[in-house]
Amino acid sequence: MDCIGSEFTYETAFELLVRLEADELFLNTCLPNINKVLELHPGKCYELDGDTGVGKTQICYSIAAKFLQTKKTARIGWISAVPLRTDHLCKHFKTGECSDRLLDRIACKRVEYISELRESLDHFSKTFNTHLVVVENIDALLHDTAYENEIGRNVQTDIIERLKKLTRLGVTVIITNHITHWRGYPAPALGMYWASQIANRFYVEKLSGDVRTVSVMKTILFCERVYWDEFLISFTLHH
């Protein structure tokens, strides 16, 4: 057989798993066109940054919906100062797929104080079969720690250590945070020390109308930008 001129493409086992979207390798959303940007690996901590109303929580709902569909017994811990909107979450499922049986695998913790945040993180680190923990609006809970002083830094360090404990146990942690502006660029709220402690961060931005972008954020540099199409935007931004 004449193989002259033939070209072969090689890929590693990891690249093969990525191409096949292996469930055990990634936590995906219900939105295929942003999964290649997020690439959420189990057992790591991620932060979604953006202004109020850009869709950070909706992305978390989409991650949770896909998680419940693909991880048949694993549980989710949800930490927030406001109630989990199960009606919004169910909109990320196909018609008829959302059920009480699935929603029963989400354990919600309402928190308003740092002490309650500590207790909730500790609780989920000891809860059997919890594989995903979502912390909504971390800046609202830690806003007093943003000032550059020893007390604030010690509190942030304590929370970071509790988040790391979860990831060491194989739990994926998703945090949402607001942004401030530093020298004309968007930067995570809670100060530079907090920003330096979260290695994996994404920036969710509203461009116009229903058009959003999701970008990999490295300090103040953004790359790997992807646009959501209008159908997915209108689908994810229910209020």
Side-chain angles (χ1 to χ4, degrees):
M1 180 175 64
D2 186 3
C3 294
I4 297 177
S6 298
E7 295 184 1
F8 297 91
T9 301
Y10 295 93
E11 63 181 355
T12 65
F14 177 81
E15 290 169 337
L16 173 63
L17 290 171
V18 171
R19 181 166 57 82
L20 296 178
E21 298 181 349
D23 286 340
E24 296 304 319
L25 186 63
F26 296 111
L27 273 74
N28 288 318
T29 72
C30 295
L31 310 173
N33 60 333
I34 67 171
N35 288 332
K36 61 183 179 181
V37 174
L38 295 180
E39 287 193 0
L40 305 177
H41 294 257
K44 290 190 176 182
C45 181
Y46 299 90
E47 186 173 284
L48 301 176
D49 295 331
D51 289 318
T52 301
V54 297
K56 302 184 298 296
T57 296
Q58 294 300 324
I59 293 176
C60 291
Y61 286 161
S62 187
I63 294 169
K66 191 69 172 180
F67 179 94
L68 293 172
Q69 290 173 312
T70 57
K71 315 294 183 182
K72 299 304 182 183
T73 60
R75 300 180 62 83
I76 298 173
W78 196 283
I79 301 173
S80 178
V82 298
L84 172 68
R85 293 293 304 271
T86 55
D87 54 336
H88 288 189
L89 172 60
C90 285
K91 291 176 181 177
H92 292 270
F93 292 88
K94 293 180 180 178
T95 302
E97 287 186 348
C98 188
S99 66
D100 290 340
R101 180 179 58 82
L102 288 178
L103 298 179
D104 283 345
R105 289 197 277 129
I106 306 177
C108 300
K109 291 285 187 179
R110 292 281 302 277
V111 300
E112 294 182 12
Y113 305 103
I114 293 173
S115 60
E116 295 173 333
L117 174 60
R118 290 191 181 104
E119 292 170 1
S120 297
L121 293 173
D122 289 345
H123 171 80
F124 289 125
S125 71
K126 300 172 184 176
T127 303
F128 174 74
N129 213 25
T130 296
H131 289 182
L132 172 65
V133 170
V134 177
V135 184
E136 270 197 284
N137 297 329
I138 192 76
D139 56 307
L141 299 169
L142 300 179
H143 57 88
D144 289 339
T145 71
Y147 303 103
E148 295 295 331
N149 57 50
E150 184 176 357
I151 295 176
R153 180 166 294 191
N154 288 342
V155 172
Q156 289 190 5
T157 298
D158 177 65
I159 297 301
I160 289 293
E161 286 304 313
R162 293 169 196 268
L163 296 173
K164 288 181 178 178
K165 180 180 180 180
L166 283 166
T167 61
R168 287 194 295 268
L169 293 170
V171 178
T172 307
V173 179
I174 311 291
I175 300 166
T176 68
N177 192 3
H178 289 91
I179 60 167
T180 58
H181 285 82
W182 183 71
R183 296 183 179 178
Y185 291 93
L190 297 178
M192 294 302 294
Y193 177 71
W194 178 268
S196 70
Q197 299 301 302
I198 305 293
N200 306 294
R201 180 174 282 109
F202 302 98
Y203 179 43
V204 185
E205 182 182 16
K206 179 178 179 179
L207 295 188
S208 62
D210 287 335
V211 179
R212 266 67 170 173
T213 63
V214 180
S215 309
V216 176
M217 178 187 272
K218 296 184 181 299
T219 310
I220 57 174
L221 301 178
F222 310 108
C223 59
E224 301 288 344
R225 175 165 287 185
V226 63
Y227 291 83
W228 301 1
D229 63 46
E230 290 186 4
F231 173 78
L232 292 176
I233 290 304
S234 62
F235 175 74
T236 57
L237 296 182
H238 292 291
H239 295 288

